[in-house]
Coordinates of all heavy atoms in Angstrom, one line a residue:
M1 N 0.9 -1.2 0.0 CA 0.0 0.0 0.0 C 0.9 1.2 0.0 O 1.9 1.3 0.7 CB -0.9 0.0 1.2 CG -2.0 1.0 1.2 SD -3.2 0.8 2.6 CE -4.1 -0.6 2.0
P2 N 0.5 2.3 -0.8 CA 1.4 3.5 -0.8 C 1.4 4.2 0.5 O 0.4 4.1 1.3 CB 0.7 4.3 -1.9 CG -0.7 3.8 -2.0 CD -0.7 2.4 -1.6
P3 N 2.4 5.1 0.7 CA 2.4 5.9 2.0 C 1.3 6.9 2.0 O 0.6 7.1 1.0 CB 3.8 6.5 2.0 CG 4.2 6.5 0.5 CD 3.5 5.3 -0.1
A4 N 1.1 7.6 3.1 CA 0.1 8.6 3.2 C 0.2 9.6 2.0 O 1.2 9.8 1.4 CB 0.3 9.4 4.5
D5 N -1.0 10.1 1.6 CA -1.1 10.9 0.4 C -0.2 12.1 0.5 O -0.4 13.0 1.4 CB -2.6 11.4 0.3 CG -2.9 12.2 -0.9 OD1 -1.9 12.6 -1.6 OD2 -4.1 12.4 -1.2
P6 N 0.8 12.2 -0.4 CA 1.7 13.4 -0.3 C 1.1 14.7 -0.6 O 1.7 15.7 -0.3 CB 2.8 13.0 -1.3 CG 2.2 12.0 -2.2 CD 1.1 11.3 -1.4
S7 N -0.1 14.7 -1.2 CA -0.7 16.0 -1.5 C -1.3 16.6 -0.3 O -1.7 17.7 -0.2 CB -1.9 15.8 -2.5 OG -2.9 15.0 -2.0
R8 N -1.4 15.8 0.8 CA -1.8 16.4 2.1 C -0.6 16.8 2.9 O -0.2 16.2 3.8 CB -2.6 15.3 2.9 CG -3.9 14.9 2.2 CD -4.7 13.9 3.1 NE -4.8 14.5 4.4 CZ -5.7 14.0 5.3 NH1 -6.4 13.0 5.0 NH2 -5.8 14.6 6.5
D9 N -0.1 18.0 2.5 CA 1.1 18.5 3.2 C 0.8 18.6 4.7 O -0.3 19.2 5.1 CB 1.5 19.8 2.7 CG 2.0 19.7 1.2 OD1 2.5 18.6 0.9 OD2 1.9 20.7 0.5
A10 N 1.7 18.2 5.6 CA 1.5 18.2 7.0 C 1.3 19.6 7.5 O 2.0 20.6 7.1 CB 2.7 17.6 7.7
R11 N 0.3 19.8 8.4 CA 0.0 21.1 9.0 C 0.9 21.3 10.2 O 1.3 22.4 10.5 CB -1.4 21.1 9.4 CG -1.9 22.4 10.1 CD -2.0 23.6 9.3 NE -2.9 23.3 8.1 CZ -3.0 24.1 7.1 NH1 -2.3 25.2 7.0 NH2 -3.8 23.9 6.1
F12 N 1.2 20.2 10.9 CA 2.1 20.2 12.1 C 3.4 19.7 11.7 O 3.5 18.7 11.0 CB 1.5 19.4 13.2 CG 0.4 20.0 14.0 CD1 -0.1 21.2 13.7 CD2 -0.2 19.3 15.1 CE1 -1.2 21.7 14.4 CE2 -1.2 19.8 15.8 CZ -1.7 21.0 15.5
V13 N 4.5 20.3 12.2 CA 5.8 19.8 12.0 C 6.4 19.6 13.4 O 6.5 20.5 14.2 CB 6.7 20.8 11.2 CG1 8.1 20.3 11.1 CG2 6.1 21.1 9.9
R14 N 6.9 18.4 13.6 CA 7.4 18.0 15.0 C 8.8 18.6 15.1 O 9.7 18.3 14.3 CB 7.4 16.5 15.1 CG 7.6 16.0 16.5 CD 7.6 14.5 16.6 NE 6.4 13.9 16.1 CZ 5.2 13.8 16.7 NH1 5.1 14.2 18.0 NH2 4.2 13.3 16.2
L15 N 9.0 19.3 16.2 CA 10.3 19.9 16.5 C 11.0 19.3 17.6 O 12.2 19.4 17.7 CB 10.1 21.4 16.8 CG 9.5 22.3 15.6 CD1 9.3 23.7 16.1 CD2 10.3 22.2 14.4
D16 N 10.3 18.6 18.5 CA 10.9 18.0 19.7 C 10.2 16.7 20.0 O 9.2 16.3 19.4 CB 10.8 19.0 20.8 CG 11.7 18.7 21.9 OD1 12.6 17.8 21.8 OD2 11.7 19.5 22.9
E17 N 10.7 16.0 21.0 CA 10.1 14.8 21.5 C 10.1 13.7 20.4 O 9.2 12.9 20.3 CB 8.7 15.0 22.1 CG 8.7 15.9 23.3 CD 7.3 15.9 24.0 OE1 6.6 14.9 23.9 OE2 7.0 17.0 24.5
T18 N 11.1 13.7 19.5 CA 11.1 12.8 18.4 C 11.6 11.4 18.9 O 11.6 10.4 18.1 CB 12.0 13.3 17.3 OG1 13.3 13.5 17.9 CG2 11.5 14.6 16.7
H19 N 11.9 11.3 20.1 CA 12.5 10.0 20.7 C 11.3 9.0 21.0 O 11.6 7.8 21.3 CB 13.3 10.3 21.9 CG 12.5 10.9 23.0 ND1 12.2 12.2 23.0 CD2 12.0 10.3 24.1 CE1 11.5 12.5 24.1 NE2 11.3 11.4 24.8
R20 N 10.1 9.5 21.1 CA 9.0 8.6 21.5 C 8.8 7.5 20.4 O 9.0 7.7 19.3 CB 7.7 9.3 21.7 CG 7.7 10.2 22.9 CD 6.4 10.9 23.2 NE 6.3 12.1 22.4 CZ 5.2 12.5 21.8 NH1 4.1 11.8 21.8 NH2 5.2 13.7 21.1
P21 N 8.4 6.3 20.9 CA 8.2 5.2 19.9 C 7.1 5.5 18.8 O 6.2 6.2 19.1 CB 7.7 4.0 20.8 CG 8.1 4.4 22.2 CD 8.1 5.9 22.2
A22 N 7.4 5.0 17.6 CA 6.4 5.2 16.5 C 5.2 4.4 16.7 O 5.2 3.3 17.3 CB 7.1 4.9 15.2
V23 N 4.1 4.9 16.2 CA 2.8 4.2 16.3 C 2.3 4.2 14.8 O 2.1 5.2 14.2 CB 1.8 4.9 17.2 CG1 0.4 4.3 17.1 CG2 2.3 5.0 18.6
A24 N 2.1 3.0 14.3 CA 1.5 2.9 12.9 C 0.0 2.8 13.0 O -0.6 2.1 13.8 CB 2.1 1.6 12.3
F25 N -0.6 3.6 12.1 CA -2.0 3.6 12.0 C -2.4 3.8 10.5 O -1.5 3.9 9.7 CB -2.7 4.7 12.9 CG -2.5 6.1 12.5 CD1 -3.5 6.8 11.9 CD2 -1.3 6.8 12.7 CE1 -3.4 8.2 11.5 CE2 -1.1 8.1 12.3 CZ -2.2 8.8 11.7
E26 N -3.7 3.8 10.2 CA -4.1 3.9 8.8 C -5.0 5.2 8.7 O -5.8 5.4 9.5 CB -4.9 2.7 8.5 CG -5.2 2.5 7.0 CD -5.9 1.2 6.8 OE1 -5.3 0.2 6.8 OE2 -7.2 1.3 6.6
L27 N -4.7 6.0 7.7 CA -5.4 7.2 7.5 C -6.0 7.2 6.1 O -5.3 7.1 5.1 CB -4.4 8.4 7.6 CG -5.0 9.8 7.3 CD1 -6.2 10.1 8.2 CD2 -3.9 10.9 7.5
D28 N -7.3 7.1 6.0 CA -8.1 7.0 4.8 C -7.5 5.9 3.9 O -7.3 6.0 2.7 CB -8.0 8.3 4.0 CG -8.9 9.4 4.7 OD1 -9.9 9.0 5.4 OD2 -8.5 10.6 4.6
G29 N -7.2 4.7 4.6 CA -6.8 3.6 3.8 C -5.3 3.5 3.5 O -4.9 2.6 2.9
R30 N -4.6 4.5 3.9 CA -3.1 4.5 3.6 C -2.3 4.5 4.9 O -2.8 5.0 6.0 CB -2.8 5.8 2.9 CG -3.4 6.0 1.6 CD -3.2 7.4 1.1 NE -3.9 7.6 -0.2 CZ -3.4 7.5 -1.4 NH1 -2.1 7.3 -1.5 NH2 -4.1 7.7 -2.5
P31 N -1.2 3.8 4.9 CA -0.3 3.8 6.1 C 0.1 5.2 6.6 O 0.4 6.0 5.7 CB 0.9 2.9 5.7 CG 0.7 2.6 4.3 CD -0.5 3.2 3.8
A32 N 0.1 5.4 7.9 CA 0.5 6.7 8.4 C 1.2 6.4 9.7 O 1.1 5.2 10.3 CB -0.7 7.6 8.7
S33 N 1.9 7.3 10.3 CA 2.7 7.1 11.5 C 2.6 8.3 12.4 O 2.5 9.5 12.0 CB 4.2 6.9 11.1 OG 5.0 6.7 12.2
A34 N 2.6 8.0 13.7 CA 2.5 9.0 14.7 C 3.5 8.6 15.8 O 4.3 7.6 15.6 CB 1.1 9.2 15.3
L35 N 3.6 9.3 16.9 CA 4.4 8.9 18.0 C 3.5 8.6 19.2 O 2.5 9.3 19.4 CB 5.4 10.0 18.3 CG 6.4 10.3 17.2 CD1 7.5 11.4 17.8 CD2 7.2 9.1 16.8
E36 N 4.0 7.7 20.0 CA 3.2 7.3 21.2 C 3.0 8.5 22.0 O 3.9 9.3 22.3 CB 4.1 6.3 22.0 CG 3.3 5.5 23.1 CD 4.2 4.5 23.6 OE1 4.3 3.4 23.1 OE2 4.8 4.7 24.7
G37 N 1.7 8.7 22.5 CA 1.4 9.8 23.3 C 0.7 10.9 22.5 O 0.2 11.9 23.1
D38 N 0.8 10.9 21.2 CA 0.1 11.9 20.3 C -1.4 11.8 20.5 O -1.9 10.6 20.6 CB 0.5 11.7 18.9 CG 1.9 12.2 18.5 OD1 2.5 12.8 19.3 OD2 2.3 11.9 17.4
T39 N -2.1 12.9 20.4 CA -3.5 12.8 20.2 C -3.8 12.4 18.7 O -2.9 12.6 17.9 CB -4.2 14.1 20.5 OG1 -3.8 15.1 19.6 CG2 -4.0 14.5 22.0
L40 N -4.9 12.0 18.5 CA -5.3 11.7 17.1 C -5.2 12.9 16.2 O -4.8 12.8 15.1 CB -6.7 11.0 17.0 CG -7.1 10.5 15.7 CD1 -6.1 9.5 15.1 CD2 -8.5 9.8 15.9
L41 N -5.6 14.1 16.7 CA -5.5 15.3 16.0 C -4.0 15.6 15.6 O -3.7 16.0 14.5 CB -6.1 16.5 16.7 CG -6.3 17.8 15.9 CD1 -7.1 17.5 14.6 CD2 -6.8 18.9 16.7
V42 N -3.1 15.5 16.5 CA -1.7 15.7 16.2 C -1.3 14.7 15.2 O -0.6 15.1 14.2 CB -0.9 15.6 17.5 CG1 0.6 15.5 17.2 CG2 -1.1 16.8 18.5
A43 N -1.7 13.5 15.3 CA -1.3 12.5 14.3 C -1.8 12.8 12.9 O -1.1 12.7 11.9 CB -1.8 11.1 14.7
L44 N -3.1 13.3 12.8 CA -3.7 13.6 11.6 C -3.0 14.8 10.9 O -2.6 14.9 9.8 CB -5.2 13.9 11.7 CG -6.0 12.7 12.1 CD1 -7.5 13.2 12.3 CD2 -5.9 11.6 11.1
L45 N -2.7 15.9 11.8 CA -2.2 17.1 11.2 C -0.7 17.0 11.0 O -0.1 17.8 10.3 CB -2.5 18.3 12.2 CG -4.0 18.6 12.3 CD1 -4.2 19.7 13.2 CD2 -4.6 18.8 10.9
S46 N 0.0 15.9 11.6 CA 1.4 15.6 11.2 C 1.5 14.8 10.0 O 2.6 14.7 9.4 CB 2.0 14.9 12.4 OG 2.0 15.6 13.6
N47 N 0.4 14.3 9.5 CA 0.4 13.5 8.3 C -0.4 14.1 7.2 O -0.4 13.6 6.1 CB -0.3 12.1 8.6 CG 0.6 11.1 9.3 OD1 1.4 10.5 8.6 ND2 0.6 11.1 10.6
G48 N -0.9 15.3 7.4 CA -1.7 16.0 6.4 C -2.1 17.3 6.8 O -1.9 17.8 7.9
G49 N -2.8 18.0 5.9 CA -3.2 19.4 6.1 C -4.5 19.6 6.7 O -4.9 20.7 7.0
F50 N -5.3 18.5 7.0 CA -6.6 18.7 7.6 C -7.0 17.4 8.4 O -6.3 16.4 8.3 CB -7.6 19.0 6.6 CG -7.8 17.9 5.6 CD1 -8.8 17.0 5.7 CD2 -7.1 17.9 4.4 CE1 -9.0 16.0 4.8 CE2 -7.2 16.9 3.5 CZ -8.2 15.9 3.7
A51 N -8.0 17.6 9.2 CA -8.5 16.5 10.0 C -9.7 15.8 9.4 O -9.9 14.6 9.5 CB -8.8 16.9 11.4
R52 N -10.5 16.7 8.7 CA -11.8 16.1 8.1 C -12.3 17.2 7.1 O -11.7 18.3 7.0 CB -12.8 15.9 9.2 CG -13.3 17.2 9.8 CD -14.4 16.9 10.9 NE -14.9 18.1 11.4 CZ -16.1 18.7 11.0 NH1 -16.8 18.1 10.0 NH2 -16.5 19.8 11.5
R53 N -13.4 16.8 6.5 CA -14.1 17.8 5.6 C -15.3 18.2 6.2 O -16.0 17.4 6.9 CB -14.4 17.1 4.2 CG -13.2 16.7 3.5 CD -12.6 17.9 2.7 NE -11.4 17.5 2.0 CZ -10.6 18.4 1.4 NH1 -10.9 19.7 1.5 NH2 -9.5 18.0 0.8
S54 N -15.7 19.5 6.1 CA -16.9 20.0 6.6 C -18.1 19.3 6.0 O -18.2 19.1 4.8 CB -17.0 21.5 6.3 OG -18.3 22.0 6.6
E55 N -19.1 19.0 6.9 CA -20.3 18.3 6.4 C -21.2 19.3 5.6 O -22.1 19.0 5.0 CB -21.1 17.7 7.5 CG -21.5 18.6 8.6 CD -20.5 18.7 9.7 OE1 -19.3 18.8 9.4 OE2 -20.9 18.7 10.9
F56 N -20.9 20.6 5.7 CA -21.7 21.6 5.1 C -21.2 22.1 3.7 O -22.0 22.6 2.9 CB -21.8 22.8 6.0 CG -22.4 22.5 7.3 CD1 -21.6 22.5 8.5 CD2 -23.7 22.2 7.5 CE1 -22.1 22.2 9.7 CE2 -24.3 21.8 8.7 CZ -23.5 21.8 9.8
G57 N -20.0 21.9 3.4 CA -19.5 22.3 2.1 C -18.2 21.6 1.6 O -17.8 21.9 0.5
G58 N -17.7 20.7 2.4 CA -16.6 20.0 2.0 C -15.2 20.7 2.3 O -14.2 20.1 1.9
E59 N -15.3 21.8 2.9 CA -14.0 22.5 3.2 C -13.2 21.7 4.2 O -13.7 21.0 5.1 CB -14.2 23.9 3.8 CG -15.0 24.8 2.8 CD -16.5 24.7 2.9 OE1 -17.0 23.9 3.8 OE2 -17.2 25.4 2.1
A60 N -11.9 21.9 4.1 CA -11.0 21.2 5.0 C -11.1 21.8 6.4 O -11.1 23.1 6.5 CB -9.5 21.3 4.5
R61 N -11.1 21.0 7.4 CA -11.2 21.5 8.8 C -10.0 20.9 9.6 O -9.6 19.7 9.3 CB -12.5 21.0 9.5 CG -13.7 21.4 8.7 CD -13.9 22.9 8.6 NE -13.9 23.5 9.9 CZ -13.8 24.9 10.1 NH1 -13.7 25.6 9.0 NH2 -13.8 25.4 11.2
A62 N -9.4 21.6 10.5 CA -8.2 21.1 11.2 C -8.4 21.3 12.7 O -7.4 21.3 13.4 CB -7.0 21.9 10.8
G63 N -9.6 21.3 13.2 CA -9.8 21.5 14.6 C -9.7 23.0 14.9 O -9.1 23.8 14.1
F64 N -10.2 23.4 16.1 CA -10.1 24.8 16.4 C -9.6 25.0 17.8 O -8.6 25.6 18.1 CB -11.4 25.5 16.2 CG -11.4 27.0 16.5 CD1 -10.8 27.9 15.7 CD2 -12.0 27.5 17.7 CE1 -10.8 29.2 15.9 CE2 -12.0 28.8 18.0 CZ -11.4 29.7 17.1
C65 N -10.3 24.4 18.8 CA -9.9 24.7 20.2 C -8.8 23.8 20.7 O -8.1 24.1 21.6 CB -11.2 24.5 21.1 SG -11.7 22.8 21.2
L66 N -8.7 22.6 20.1 CA -7.7 21.6 20.5 C -7.9 21.1 22.0 O -7.0 20.6 22.6 CB -6.3 22.1 20.4 CG -5.9 22.7 19.0 CD1 -4.5 23.1 19.0 CD2 -6.3 21.8 17.9
M67 N -9.1 21.3 22.5 CA -9.3 20.9 23.9 C -10.7 20.3 24.1 O -11.2 20.3 25.2 CB -9.1 22.0 24.9 CG -10.0 23.2 24.6 SD -9.6 24.5 25.8 CE -11.1 25.5 25.7
G68 N -11.4 19.8 23.1 CA -12.6 19.1 23.2 C -13.9 19.9 23.3 O -14.9 19.4 23.8
A69 N -13.8 21.1 23.0 CA -15.0 22.0 23.1 C -15.7 22.4 21.8 O -16.9 22.6 21.8 CB -14.6 23.3 23.9
C70 N -15.0 22.5 20.7 CA -15.6 23.2 19.6 C -16.3 22.2 18.6 O -17.0 22.6 17.7 CB -14.5 24.0 18.8 SG -13.4 22.9 17.9
Q71 N -16.0 20.9 18.7 CA -16.6 19.9 17.8 C -16.1 20.0 16.4 O -16.7 19.4 15.5 CB -18.1 20.0 17.8 CG -18.8 20.2 19.2 CD -18.7 19.0 20.1 OE1 -18.9 17.9 19.6 NE2 -18.3 19.2 21.3
D72 N -15.0 20.6 16.1 CA -14.5 20.8 14.8 C -13.6 19.7 14.3 O -13.0 19.7 13.2 CB -13.7 22.1 14.7 CG -13.5 22.5 13.2 OD1 -14.4 22.4 12.4 OD2 -12.4 23.0 12.9
C73 N -13.3 18.7 15.2 CA -12.3 17.7 14.8 C -12.9 16.2 14.8 O -12.2 15.3 14.9 CB -11.2 17.7 15.8 SG -11.7 17.3 17.5
W74 N -14.2 16.1 14.6 CA -14.8 14.8 14.5 C -14.2 14.0 13.3 O -14.1 14.5 12.2 CB -16.3 14.8 14.3 CG -17.1 15.3 15.5 CD1 -17.8 16.4 15.6 CD2 -17.2 14.6 16.8 NE1 -18.4 16.5 16.9 CE2 -18.0 15.4 17.6 CE3 -16.7 13.4 17.3 CZ2 -18.4 15.1 18.9 CZ3 -17.0 13.1 18.6 CH2 -17.9 13.9 19.4
V75 N -13.8 12.8 13.6 CA -13.3 11.9 12.5 C -14.0 10.5 12.8 O -14.7 10.4 13.8 CB -11.8 11.7 12.5 CG1 -11.2 13.0 12.0 CG2 -11.2 11.3 13.8
W76 N -13.8 9.5 12.0 CA -14.5 8.3 12.1 C -13.4 7.1 12.1 O -12.4 7.3 11.4 CB -15.5 8.1 11.0 CG -16.6 9.1 11.1 CD1 -17.8 9.0 11.7 CD2 -16.5 10.5 10.6 NE1 -18.5 10.1 11.6 CE2 -17.7 11.1 11.0 CE3 -15.6 11.2 10.0 CZ2 -18.0 12.4 10.6 CZ3 -15.8 12.5 9.7 CH2 -17.1 13.1 10.0
T77 N -13.8 6.0 12.7 CA -13.0 4.8 12.5 C -13.6 4.1 11.3 O -14.7 4.3 10.9 CB -13.0 3.9 13.7 OG1 -14.3 3.4 13.9 CG2 -12.5 4.7 15.0
A78 N -12.8 3.1 10.8 CA -13.3 2.3 9.7 C -14.6 1.5 10.1 O -15.4 1.1 9.3 CB -12.2 1.4 9.2
D79 N -14.7 1.3 11.4 CA -15.9 0.6 12.0 C -17.1 1.5 12.1 O -18.1 1.1 12.6 CB -15.5 0.0 13.3 CG -14.4 -1.0 13.2 OD1 -14.3 -1.7 12.1 OD2 -13.7 -1.2 14.2
G80 N -16.9 2.8 11.8 CA -18.0 3.8 11.9 C -18.2 4.5 13.2 O -19.1 5.3 13.4
E81 N -17.2 4.3 14.1 CA -17.3 5.0 15.4 C -16.8 6.5 15.2 O -15.8 6.7 14.5 CB -16.3 4.3 16.4 CG -16.3 5.0 17.8 CD -15.3 4.3 18.7 OE1 -14.5 3.5 18.3 OE2 -15.3 4.7 19.9
R82 N -17.5 7.4 15.8 CA -17.1 8.8 15.6 C -16.2 9.2 16.8 O -16.6 8.9 18.0 CB -18.3 9.7 15.6 CG -18.1 11.1 15.2 CD -19.3 11.9 14.9 NE -20.0 12.2 16.2 CZ -20.8 13.3 16.3 NH1 -20.9 14.2 15.3 NH2 -21.4 13.5 17.5
L83 N -15.1 9.9 16.5 CA -14.1 10.2 17.6 C -13.8 11.7 17.5 O -13.7 12.3 16.4 CB -12.8 9.5 17.4 CG -12.8 8.0 17.3 CD1 -11.5 7.5 16.9 CD2 -13.2 7.4 18.7
R84 N -13.7 12.3 18.7 CA -13.2 13.7 18.7 C -11.6 13.6 18.7 O -11.0 13.1 19.7 CB -13.7 14.4 20.0 CG -13.5 15.8 20.0 CD -14.1 16.5 21.2 NE -15.5 16.4 21.2 CZ -16.3 16.3 22.3 NH1 -15.7 16.2 23.5 NH2 -17.6 16.2 22.2
A85 N -11.0 14.0 17.6 CA -9.6 13.7 17.4 C -8.7 14.4 18.4 O -7.6 13.9 18.8 CB -9.2 14.1 16.0
C86 N -9.1 15.6 18.9 CA -8.2 16.3 19.8 C -8.2 15.7 21.2 O -7.3 16.0 22.0 CB -8.6 17.8 19.9 SG -10.2 18.1 20.8
S87 N -9.1 14.8 21.6 CA -9.1 14.3 22.9 C -9.1 12.7 22.9 O -9.4 12.1 23.8 CB -10.4 14.7 23.7 OG -11.6 14.4 23.0
T88 N -8.6 12.2 21.7 CA -8.5 10.7 21.6 C -7.0 10.4 21.3 O -6.4 10.9 20.4 CB -9.3 10.2 20.4 OG1 -10.7 10.6 20.6 CG2 -9.2 8.7 20.2
P89 N -6.4 9.6 22.1 CA -5.0 9.2 21.9 C -4.9 8.3 20.6 O -5.8 7.5 20.4 CB -4.6 8.4 23.1 CG -5.7 8.6 24.1 CD -6.9 9.0 23.4
V90 N -3.9 8.5 19.8 CA -3.7 7.6 18.6 C -3.3 6.3 19.2 O -2.7 6.2 20.2 CB -2.7 8.2 17.7 CG1 -1.3 8.2 18.3 CG2 -2.7 7.5 16.3
A91 N -3.7 5.2 18.5 CA -3.4 3.9 18.9 C -2.9 3.1 17.7 O -3.4 3.3 16.6 CB -4.6 3.2 19.6
A92 N -2.0 2.2 18.0 CA -1.5 1.3 16.9 C -2.6 0.5 16.2 O -3.5 0.0 16.9 CB -0.4 0.3 17.4
G93 N -2.6 0.5 14.9 CA -3.6 -0.2 14.2 C -4.9 0.5 14.0 O -5.8 0.0 13.3
M94 N -5.0 1.7 14.5 CA -6.3 2.5 14.4 C -6.5 2.7 12.9 O -5.6 3.1 12.2 CB -6.1 3.8 15.2 CG -7.3 4.6 15.4 SD -6.8 6.0 16.5 CE -7.7 5.6 17.9
R95 N -7.7 2.6 12.4 CA -8.1 2.9 11.0 C -9.0 4.1 11.0 O -10.1 4.0 11.4 CB -8.7 1.7 10.4 CG -7.7 0.5 10.3 CD -8.3 -0.7 9.6 NE -9.6 -1.1 10.1 CZ -10.6 -1.7 9.5 NH1 -10.4 -2.0 8.2 NH2 -11.7 -2.0 10.1
V96 N -8.5 5.2 10.6 CA -9.1 6.5 10.7 C -9.6 7.0 9.3 O -8.9 6.9 8.3 CB -8.2 7.5 11.3 CG1 -8.9 8.9 11.5 CG2 -7.7 7.0 12.7
L97 N -10.8 7.5 9.3 CA -11.4 8.1 8.1 C -11.7 9.6 8.3 O -12.2 10.0 9.4 CB -12.7 7.4 7.8 CG -12.6 5.9 7.5 CD1 -14.0 5.3 7.3 CD2 -11.8 5.6 6.3
T98 N -11.4 10.4 7.3 CA -11.6 11.8 7.5 C -13.0 12.2 6.9 O -13.3 13.4 6.9 CB -10.5 12.6 6.8 OG1 -10.4 12.3 5.4 CG2 -9.1 12.4 7.4
A99 N -13.7 11.2 6.4 CA -15.0 11.5 5.9 C -16.0 10.5 6.6 O -15.6 9.4 6.9 CB -15.1 11.3 4.4
D100 N -17.2 11.0 6.8 CA -18.2 10.2 7.5 C -18.6 9.0 6.6 O -19.1 9.2 5.5 CB -19.4 11.1 7.7 CG -20.5 10.4 8.5 OD1 -20.4 9.2 8.7 OD2 -21.5 11.1 8.9
P101 N -18.3 7.8 7.1 CA -18.6 6.6 6.3 C -20.1 6.4 6.2 O -20.6 5.6 5.3 CB -18.0 5.4 7.1 CG -17.9 5.9 8.5 CD -17.7 7.4 8.4
W102 N -20.9 7.1 7.0 CA -22.4 6.9 6.9 C -23.1 8.0 6.1 O -24.2 7.9 5.8 CB -23.0 7.0 8.3 CG -22.4 6.0 9.3 CD1 -21.5 6.3 10.3 CD2 -22.5 4.6 9.2 NE1 -21.1 5.1 10.9 CE2 -21.7 4.1 10.3 CE3 -23.2 3.7 8.4 CZ2 -21.6 2.7 10.5 CZ3 -23.1 2.3 8.7 CH2 -22.3 1.9 9.7
D103 N -22.3 8.9 5.6 CA -22.8 10.0 4.7 C -22.9 9.5 3.3 O -21.9 9.2 2.7 CB -21.9 11.2 4.8 CG -22.4 12.4 4.1 OD1 -23.4 12.3 3.3 OD2 -21.8 13.5 4.2
P104 N -24.1 9.5 2.7 CA -24.2 9.0 1.4 C -23.6 9.9 0.3 O -23.5 9.5 -0.8 CB -25.8 8.9 1.2 CG -26.3 9.9 2.2 CD -25.3 10.0 3.3
A105 N -23.3 11.1 0.6 CA -22.7 12.1 -0.4 C -21.4 11.7 -0.9 O -20.7 10.9 -0.4 CB -22.7 13.5 0.2
Ligands
FES201 S1 -10.5 20.8 18.2 FE1 -12.2 21.5 19.2 S2 -13.2 19.7 19.9 FE2 -11.5 19.0 19.0

């Protein structure tokens, strides 16, 4: 499987704490990597330029408050579970979708 989509330029660039163990997960069906202890939002924004697409117009969203209050960082697992990315720790093997799998659009 190809690596994470290179067109999704990372929004976050890690400057420190690079010694933490790597955590492999899947982002929209592609392999991606984070570091142990990252929130899912950090993992997403370190692998691309957004966390999800707006349900109202498809614009890229990257979270706003980063503390679980604004609801701007909802993502889904491949199993259809909805997660708030800023308050969910990334986990090895997690399969994350940036689009709602239940949305028929
Ligand atoms: S960024 Fe605001 S709730 Fe996650």
Side-chain angles (χ1 to χ4, degrees):
M1 191 172 285
D5 184 348
S7 68
R8 292 185 54 164
D9 294 332
R11 179 71 57 192
F12 283 0
V13 176
R14 192 177 307 276
L15 299 176
D16 198 2
E17 298 189 31
T18 55
H19 63 281
R20 289 186 274 139
V23 174
F25 70 105
E26 192 177 283
L27 176 56
D28 290 331
R30 297 168 186 262
S33 180
L35 295 185
E36 193 174 279
D38 285 351
T39 64
L40 187 51
L41 186 60
V42 167
L44 295 175
L45 296 180
S46 296
N47 281 274
F50 62 94
R52 68 178 184 98
R53 295 279 177 192
S54 169
E55 60 270 44
F56 301 109
E59 297 87 2
R61 307 298 305 169
F64 182 72
C65 71
L66 310 182
M67 61 182 200
C70 75
Q71 317 290 313
D72 195 41
C73 64
W74 289 114
V75 294
W76 297 263
T77 67
D79 298 329
E81 181 184 8
R82 191 170 73 151
L83 303 172
R84 193 177 291 146
C86 71
S87 56
T88 302
V90 68
M94 193 175 243
R95 296 184 305 150
V96 181
L97 302 174
T98 59
D100 183 351
W102 305 110
D103 185 352

